[in-house]
Amino acid sequence: MSLRGKTAFITGASRGIGLEIAKSLATRGANVAVAAKTTEPHPKLPGTIHTAVEEINQIGERNGSGAKGLAIQLDVRDADAVKDAIDRTVGTLGNLDIVINNASAINVKPTVEASVKSYDLMNNINSRGTWLVSRFALPHLLKSASESRNPHILTLSPTLTYSMLSASSSRGGFPSQFSQTASAYTIAKFGMSLNTLALAAETMGKVGVNSLWPYTLIGTSAMKIVSPNSDVEEKRWRSPKIVSEAAVRVLEEYGATFSAQFLVDEIYLRRKHGFTDEQIAEFSLGGKETPLESLAEDLYISQELREDVLRARRGE
């Protein structure tokens, strides 16, 4: 379904995955509210809400789609500010059809070393922030549904399945991988996925509510800063464009029936849109000759998902 003329609200969209999704939406003619904290250039990280909007406007002008951007400084922990940001988006751009919960904080210190402050920060931004944005956007999304505008909520969070969370699993996935991410971040991140599950149930038949997660580590500017030996390691990562390619296609699905899905970018692109090895390889930062099996997996990739990726690569 066409995204032309739709309005999207994206948190954390001044750079990285959020910005790539915003640009892909603009290419398809959607207006985008860029909601993030960064208004002044960061000494190490490129991009602000204003530079993001400039890119969106340039895309709209260049391809004639008419897409426009709206810069909104926002801390998703502030409930009043979230409501005002949603209201401003609707007041300025005329409607609201798409919400993308992308803003997230990460700290994977072991529980015995983690501070209460880091726990509160991650949970306030990740799970609570996702709920706040979804909560105040929902009346507008239901209005969008009543006007047959195909509304969606898409959250960047891990797959939520029984095998993912079962401590009795003996297939080599969880719970061992949770030791890498520790309790505070795990709770905050899966809180976002629980938001998807519950909201999908609440809005079934009206709003498409789904989660999307990358199979591999994604080479954002922030990743390159925090990762040791990033000049070498990034050759095993993928571009944020693979996530944006998957995201915009999810948003083109008919949300009334395509909901409560926990999607992995590569699996979705292969099975639903016929992406080939050659197309998928284009996203590798190490070059398209990089063997797929040598890429670095992202967090929360269970053995079940690993096996499903291999099946998708075989065309199954």
Side-chain angles (χ1 to χ4, degrees), residues 155-302:
T155 298
L156 278 296
S157 65
T159 59
L160 188 63
T161 63
Y162 176 78
S163 64
M164 235 350 147
L165 301 176
S166 174
S168 62
S169 173
S170 60
R171 305 192 68 189
F174 293 121
S176 61
Q177 198 183 93
F178 284 118
S179 67
Q180 300 173 31
T181 56
S183 60
Y185 180 66
T186 298
I187 291 167
K189 207 64 195 178
F190 275 90
M192 298 171 73
S193 299
L194 284 169
N195 188 72
T196 290
L197 186 67
L199 268 181
E202 289 186 63
T203 63
M204 190 62 68
K206 298 176 182 177
V207 181
V209 187
N210 301 288
S211 279
L212 177 65
W213 195 243
Y215 179 62
T216 68
L217 292 176
I218 300 299
T220 62
S221 53
M223 266 289 289
K224 293 175 184 179
I225 289 175
V226 302
S227 299
N229 304 316
S230 61
D231 290 346
V232 175
E233 288 300 315
E234 70 174 336
K235 295 177 182 178
R236 301 175 62 223
W237 303 343
R238 282 178 173 156
S239 163
K241 290 181 179 179
I242 189 171
V243 183
S244 68
E245 286 286 341
V248 293
R249 286 168 170 78
V250 172
L251 300 171
E252 290 171 337
E253 300 273 7
Y254 182 46
T257 56
F258 193 87
S259 193
Q261 302 290 313
F262 290 94
L263 306 162
V264 173
D265 54 4
E266 181 178 344
I267 296 174
Y268 173 72
L269 288 171
R270 285 182 182 275
R271 289 209 176 118
K272 199 73 194 278
H273 297 281
F275 271 54
T276 64
D277 283 352
E278 290 74 20
Q279 288 173 294
I280 293 293
E282 293 289 341
F283 299 113
S284 295
L285 293 183
K288 59 184 180 181
E289 295 80 16
T290 305
L292 294 175
E293 60 273 14
S294 73
L295 297 174
E297 291 179 347
D298 207 324
L299 302 172
Y300 304 119
I301 301 301
S302 66

Side-chain angles (χ1 to χ4, degrees), residues 1-311:
M1 301 186 72
S2 175
L3 296 173
R4 194 178 187 90
K6 303 288 180 64
T7 296
F9 183 94
I10 310 179
T11 62
S14 59
R15 60 176 70 96
I17 291 172
L19 177 58
E20 285 299 330
I21 295 174
K23 293 187 320 188
S24 292
L25 284 167
T27 299
R28 287 163 170 78
N31 301 313
V32 183
V34 176
K37 291 179 67 176
T38 307
T39 58
E40 299 295 331
H42 188 280
K44 295 183 179 179
L45 297 172
T48 68
I49 57 175
H50 304 297
T51 59
V53 165
E54 286 176 12
E55 289 191 66
I56 290 165
N57 290 340
Q58 287 170 5
I59 290 170
E61 293 171 4
R62 188 166 60 245
N63 67 10
S65 69
K68 296 180 180 179
L70 174 66
I72 300 179
Q73 184 179 23
L74 177 65
D75 183 342
V76 296
R77 296 172 293 178
D78 185 334
D80 291 336
V82 170
K83 184 179 184 303
D84 289 345
I86 296 289
D87 290 344
R88 181 182 167 196
T89 298
V90 175
T92 304
L93 299 176
N95 48 54
L96 181 60
D97 310 289
I98 296 165
V99 164
I100 299 175
N101 292 304
N102 170 66
S104 188
I106 180 171
N107 185 322
V108 294
K109 280 189 175 181
T111 302
V112 72
E113 299 175 14
S115 66
V116 174
K117 182 178 180 180
S118 69
Y119 177 95
D120 289 341
L121 176 68
M122 286 188 286
N123 278 276
N124 283 336
I125 292 175
N126 299 6
S127 53
R128 184 175 181 271
T130 293
W131 185 85
L132 284 174
V133 172
S134 303
R135 160 65 183 88
F136 290 115
L138 198 53
H140 304 287
L141 297 177
L142 292 173
K143 181 176 184 292
S144 175
S146 72
E147 297 171 352
S148 301
R149 293 178 61 84
N150 193 37
H152 281 266
I153 296 175
L154 182 64
T155 298
L156 278 296
S157 65
T159 59
L160 188 63
T161 63
Y162 176 78
S163 64
M164 235 350 147
L165 301 176
S166 174
S168 62
S169 173
S170 60
R171 305 192 68 189
F174 293 121
S176 61
Q177 198 183 93
F178 284 118
S179 67
Q180 300 173 31
T181 56
S183 60
Y185 180 66
T186 298
I187 291 167
K189 207 64 195 178
F190 275 90
M192 298 171 73
S193 299
L194 284 169
N195 188 72
T196 290
L197 186 67
L199 268 181
E202 289 186 63
T203 63
M204 190 62 68
K206 298 176 182 177
V207 181
V209 187
N210 301 288
S211 279
L212 177 65
W213 195 243
Y215 179 62
T216 68
L217 292 176
I218 300 299
T220 62
S221 53
M223 266 289 289
K224 293 175 184 179
I225 289 175
V226 302
S227 299
N229 304 316
S230 61
D231 290 346
V232 175
E233 288 300 315
E234 70 174 336
K235 295 177 182 178
R236 301 175 62 223
W237 303 343
R238 282 178 173 156
S239 163
K241 290 181 179 179
I242 189 171
V243 183
S244 68
E245 286 286 341
V248 293
R249 286 168 170 78
V250 172
L251 300 171
E252 290 171 337
E253 300 273 7
Y254 182 46
T257 56
F258 193 87
S259 193
Q261 302 290 313
F262 290 94
L263 306 162
V264 173
D265 54 4
E266 181 178 344
I267 296 174
Y268 173 72
L269 288 171
R270 285 182 182 275
R271 289 209 176 118
K272 199 73 194 278
H273 297 281
F275 271 54
T276 64
D277 283 352
E278 290 74 20
Q279 288 173 294
I280 293 293
E282 293 289 341
F283 299 113
S284 295
L285 293 183
K288 59 184 180 181
E289 295 80 16
T290 305
L292 294 175
E293 60 273 14
S294 73
L295 297 174
E297 291 179 347
D298 207 324
L299 302 172
Y300 304 119
I301 301 301
S302 66
Q303 183 62 21
E304 179 188 40
L305 277 178
R306 197 171 293 119
E307 292 171 359
D308 203 22
V309 166
L310 293 177
R311 286 193 292 269

